[in-house]
Amino acid sequence: MISQVAHTCIFARDLDAVEAFYRDVLGVAPKFDFKRGEERIGFYLDFGNRTFVEVFRKGESRFEESNQINHICFETGDIDAFMAHVRGTGVAVTDKKLGVDHTWQCWLADPSGVKIEIFQYTPESMQFGPDGAVCQVDW
């Protein structure tokens, strides 16, 4: 009955800074804004293929390891070019690493501290292998 994840919702202390990050660093401009009267309280980001992130202003937001949502993961077709672009904007991003699921990954954070994982799938990525497999972790 469920076909896919529709969106993830994140909170932002500073909507303008978070919008600039997603637009200028990740290359995703807002699809539309949420307003209460004339006050902009959030926006919706379109990552393609019916995958969205909604962002709402919440000044008292805290982001800690104990929160229920740990991170958001986005896919890229060229992780090296992505990392070069991000570093060119002055934003810190980790080096890429091949994960235990055989998928390339790197990490960064938005201005509110939301952790973002970037994936580049490989032909061996377990996400596209047989169902019921076991991924042995090393962390």
Side-chain angles (χ1 to χ4, degrees), residues 15 27 38 42 48 77 81 92 124 132:
L15 281 179
E38 290 301 309
E124 294 81 31

Side-chain angles (χ1 to χ4, degrees), residues 120-133:
Q120 181 181 342
Y121 292 112
T122 70
E124 294 81 31
S125 291
M126 292 184 72
Q127 289 83 347
F128 307 110
D131 291 348

Side-chain angles (χ1 to χ4, degrees), residues 106-118:
C106 65
W107 293 82
L108 63 157
D110 81 7
S112 292
V114 174
K115 293 186 293 186
I116 299 170
E117 180 179 20
I118 304 298

Side-chain angles (χ1 to χ4, degrees), residues 63-78:
F63 299 92
E64 302 170 348
E65 289 295 324
S66 62
N67 286 348
Q68 300 302 343
I69 295 177
N70 181 266
H71 68 274
I72 300 172
C73 181
F74 300 121
E75 179 184 352
T76 184
D78 187 342

Side-chain angles (χ1 to χ4, degrees), residues 16-29 47 74 76 81-93 107-111 116 118:
D16 293 335
V18 172
E19 177 187 346
F21 173 84
Y22 281 90
R23 182 190 62 236
D24 302 339
V25 176
L26 299 187
V28 181
F47 284 84
F74 300 121
T76 184
F82 174 85
M83 292 181 335
H85 167 74
V86 169
R87 289 178 176 144
T89 68
V91 173
V93 61
W107 293 82
L108 63 157
D110 81 7
I116 299 170
I118 304 298

